[in-house]
């Protein structure tokens, strides 16, 4: 079944963009991370509506379950807060994250900066720069993601230009700080009819299942593997 098949007919078990729990754990088997922080807005918090055929488990919990199965006990902090701007994340979440001393931080914020009459892209990039600089300065590895442009509401179509500008910022930040980058821009996930919740913004649990898969697969590519 291809990724463009009717999403409404899929379940978590038959979804070609999802992987089984055992596969997820196998991919993370040699992961070196034992203290994981997830930082940001609703993207980090894991907001989303249930969806038939998929477990009601947001991507952060899916990731941590797979990592726990793979390597055992892992300390975990999620400071994500719905509606947080990049400045609010910098002001209110950075300190507790630094106190936690993660060796891996997944950072997802900045999207809320776009919901104003005139986004200040330079300020957003500066906030993200300061956030990544502080966290990577502790020796932690970071992962971040571009945003997909799955915009089906005609009234939100002009927002696509803002998303592309923001995604360019994310790519620059990832390159600047050697962050692991999950590029969802143009990913097959955007073709799904079951992707977003009724607010047309946050992922359903079907979307969370796919995003968790992509995060786990992306993290797996950054795991040092023994030779021989």
């Amino acid at each position: 079944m291809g990724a463009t098949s009717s999403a409404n007919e899929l379940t978590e078990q038959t979804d070609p963009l999802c992987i089984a729990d055992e596969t997820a754990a196998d991919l993370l088997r040699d992961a070196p991370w034992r203290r994981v922080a997830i930082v940001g807005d609703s993207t980090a918090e894991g907001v989303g509506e249930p969806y038939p055929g998929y477990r009601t488990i947001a991507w952060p919990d899916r990731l941590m379950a797979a990592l726990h199965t793979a390597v055992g006990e892992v300390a975990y902090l999620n400071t994500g807060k719905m509606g947080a701007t990049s400045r609010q994340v910098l002001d209110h979440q950075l300190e507790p994250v630094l106190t936690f001393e993660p060796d891996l931080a997944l950072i997802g914020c900045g999207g809320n900066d776009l919901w104003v009459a005139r986004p200040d892209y330079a300020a957003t990039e500066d906030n993200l720069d300061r956030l990544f600089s502080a966290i990577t300065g502790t020796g932690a590895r970071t992962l971040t993601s571009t945003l997909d442009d799955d915009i089906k509401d005609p009234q939100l179509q002009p927002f696509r230009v803002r998303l592309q500008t923001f995604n360019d910022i994310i790519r620059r930040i990832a390159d600047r700080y050697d962050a692991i980058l999950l590029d969802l821009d143009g990913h097959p996930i955007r073709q799904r009819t079951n992707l977003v919740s009724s607010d047309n913004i946050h992922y359903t649990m079907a979307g969370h299942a796919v995003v968790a898969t992509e995060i786990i697969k992306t993290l797996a590519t950054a795991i040092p593997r023994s030779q021989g």
Side-chain angles (χ1 to χ4, degrees), residues 33 104 141-145 174 178-182 218-219 221-222:
W33 308 296
L104 174 67
R141 194 74 200 270
T142 55
L143 178 146
T144 192
S145 170
D178 193 30
I180 305 164
L181 177 64
L182 169 57
T218 301
L219 282 174
T221 67

Side-chain angles (χ1 to χ4, degrees), residues 49 57 78 108 201:
E49 294 174 349
I57 308 175
N78 190 329
I201 297 173

Side-chain angles (χ1 to χ4, degrees), residues 95-128:
E95 184 175 347
V97 169
L98 295 179
T99 300
F100 177 70
E101 298 182 336
D103 51 17
L104 174 67
L106 294 87
I107 303 173
C109 65
N112 288 319
D113 296 18
L114 308 180
W115 294 96
V116 294
R118 293 186 177 181
D120 188 339
Y121 297 109
T124 295
E125 184 160 0
D126 182 64
N127 292 335
L128 291 172

